[in-house]
Amino acid sequence: MGELKTPFQLRGWGIRTWNSVDRFETAVERAITRAASHGITTIDLHDGTVPPGIGWVDLFAEYKQVQALRDADILTYHGEQISREQREGYRNRFRELCRKIKAHGIDIHVWYHVLRDLPEEWLDVEPTVSRLEGRRLWQVLGGIVDDFLMAVPEVDALTVTGQQALTAGMRDTSSVTSGERLRAIYQCLYEACRRQRRRLVIREIGTTAAEKEAFVHAIGPLPPDIAIMVKDVQGDWYHLDAPLNPLFLRLRNKQLIVETDLYGVHWGHLDVPLCRLRQIHTAVRSWLPLSISGAIARIKVVEQPDSPSIPVFETPNEANISALSYLLQNPYPDPDLDSKDVDAFDFRLWIDWLRNRYGEDASPYVIAALDRTPHIV
């Protein structure tokens, strides 16, 4: 029998540092030097990096469709003014960072929080964001995406997210439903990406049952080449085991990417060792029947510019990255393993990583300590 090919052709790392371009650049550069050894194909660049929390797409927007903003030198974002010279400085840094990523042969996905970071001057002119519709919607959102993708040709895909896109539709008093308005936004963004020969990834949104239904309704008839990124669990990630996100089953006819967390977004930010190799092994096996085409794991999340920033590669929790990377490339049971249980945990996930990090002699003792951390935490 021939060797089974992994279904996870996209294997990515997500990086977010809020309000700090310096930390963002450091995290990305550290990641891309290690990506090849882990079989990583994609870097997922989150937004909110440029002070005071502006997204990359919004930073490049020229707002040519808004007369009052076409030649504006100063734009105000979240109460803070940023000059054209400052914006261009941040743009050049981002372009250079993208060139470094591409030099390593890695695809680039960039997040866009739809309607979140519009400048206050824009809102003074067109305050009814929720009423954006028809030709005006396509002009504004399409123009924003065009500006970004033309300015940064290294970007391969746009990942759109943002509760604002959903709730703006729900506040709308027109006859369309929230799901229909959301679909119009996604269709507009898809056409903009297609014009620039880029891919579109839509990240799941919605916190309430009604919002989830609106999201599912919105993406139902969208083109099949749009990828849908879904968290592996509902809500936010915690250190405890959680059931698989039921959206995977509802969206099984779509091109799916699973989003997971290896940094500890809500369980310590790497302040404590938490090596979840057994849980990662079980999770990847649970993804196999779902026809998932890729997986992106967050490896860096810093919410405040002055908060501790510990690189995952410098902690025992690097074992999580090593395990997931291996399993995404080799997700099926090894027929050579001496076990009747095809889902039995493969201790080689521990041994190969430990041998390189701590040496052969220390491996048994380190396994005994770190394998217990999920029970301790």
Side-chain angles (χ1 to χ4, degrees), residues 18-240:
W18 188 263
N19 241 345
S20 176
V21 177
D22 290 339
R23 283 189 171 189
F24 185 78
E25 291 173 338
T26 299
V28 171
E29 290 172 1
R30 182 180 284 115
I32 61 179
T33 60
R34 294 165 170 81
S37 63
H38 290 281
I40 295 302
T41 66
T42 304
I43 294 292
D44 197 38
L45 303 178
H46 292 211
D47 58 355
T49 302
V50 178
I54 305 169
W56 295 113
V57 175
D58 301 274
L59 179 72
F60 281 84
E62 295 290 350
Y63 301 107
K64 294 184 289 291
Q65 303 79 16
V66 184
Q67 180 67 39
L69 271 66
R70 287 180 184 175
D71 301 314
D73 177 52
I74 302 293
L75 292 178
T76 308
Y77 299 91
H78 308 300
E80 184 171 322
Q81 291 186 335
I82 302 181
S83 69
R84 179 173 293 277
E85 181 180 2
Q86 290 174 304
R87 297 196 301 275
E88 194 56 39
Y90 287 129
R91 291 171 180 176
N92 289 335
R93 291 177 69 173
F94 185 72
R95 290 188 187 101
E96 178 59 27
L97 186 63
C98 288
R99 284 192 284 266
K100 290 180 180 179
I101 297 172
K102 297 304 287 186
H104 284 77
I106 302 170
D107 285 351
I108 301 172
H109 290 197
V110 178
W111 278 35
Y112 174 38
H113 261 79
V114 182
L115 302 179
R116 187 191 66 184
D117 297 326
L118 292 170
E120 293 175 19
E121 290 81 2
W122 191 94
L123 297 174
D124 289 340
V125 178
E126 300 192 40
T128 53
V129 174
S130 66
R131 298 290 296 184
L132 273 178
E133 57 187 353
R135 183 178 179 185
R136 191 59 178 156
L137 172 71
W138 287 65
Q139 285 178 333
V140 173
L141 287 184
I144 290 173
V145 173
D146 281 339
D147 288 342
F148 175 69
L149 294 179
M150 287 190 292
V152 194
E154 292 82 7
V155 172
D156 297 281
L158 192 70
T159 299
V160 299
T161 185
Q163 190 73 4
Q164 290 80 2
L166 182 57
T167 55
M170 289 188 167
R171 290 194 303 268
D172 192 357
T173 57
S174 69
S175 60
V176 299
T177 67
S178 57
E180 290 168 341
R181 173 168 292 281
L182 189 59
R183 184 185 304 155
I185 290 174
Y186 289 151
Q187 188 70 42
C188 170
L189 296 171
Y190 170 72
E191 294 297 339
C193 288
R194 192 168 68 163
R195 280 197 302 272
Q196 303 299 330
R197 300 182 183 277
R198 308 305 216 290
R199 300 190 302 273
L200 177 65
V201 179
I202 297 176
R203 184 173 179 266
E204 67 158 307
I205 57 175
T207 55
T208 67
E211 290 171 351
K212 292 289 186 184
E213 287 300 320
F215 174 74
V216 172
H217 176 74
I219 65 173
L222 291 177
D225 55 330
I226 297 176
I228 311 299
M229 186 159 70
V230 179
K231 285 184 177 181
D232 55 338
V233 298
Q234 291 192 88
D236 283 319
W237 294 281
Y238 292 92
H239 63 287
L240 301 175

Side-chain angles (χ1 to χ4, degrees), residues 6-14 34-35 37-42 230 232 237 257-264 267 274-288 292 294-300 312-313 316-332 345-346 348-350 352-353:
T6 176
F8 306 110
Q9 295 301 300
L10 186 155
R11 300 179 295 276
W13 286 340
R34 294 165 170 81
S37 63
H38 290 281
I40 295 302
T41 66
T42 304
V230 179
D232 55 338
W237 294 281
I257 299 172
V258 61
E259 181 185 16
T260 190
D261 173 45
L262 296 179
Y263 185 75
W267 38 263
L274 182 55
C275 300
R276 309 180 75 242
L277 277 68
R278 293 176 184 271
Q279 289 86 348
I280 292 170
H281 177 268
T282 300
V284 173
R285 290 290 171 80
S286 73
W287 301 341
L288 285 174
I292 293 172
I296 293 178
R298 297 186 182 191
I299 65 167
K300 183 73 172 181
V312 64
F313 301 105
N317 293 351
E318 184 192 27
N320 298 323
I321 288 182
S322 177
L324 181 62
S325 299
Y326 176 84
L327 288 167
L328 291 180
Q329 297 173 85
N330 306 276
Y332 297 103
F345 179 70
D346 185 353
R348 290 178 301 181
L349 294 175
W350 272 117
D352 292 343
W353 173 76

Side-chain angles (χ1 to χ4, degrees), residues 237-241 263-276 279 316-317 320 369-377:
W237 294 281
Y238 292 92
H239 63 287
L240 301 175
D241 293 337
Y263 185 75
V265 177
H266 293 282
W267 38 263
H269 288 81
L270 299 178
D271 290 337
V272 295
L274 182 55
C275 300
R276 309 180 75 242
Q279 289 86 348
N317 293 351
N320 298 323
L370 296 182
D371 196 35
R372 297 178 61 233
T373 54
H375 303 287
I376 295 171
V377 175

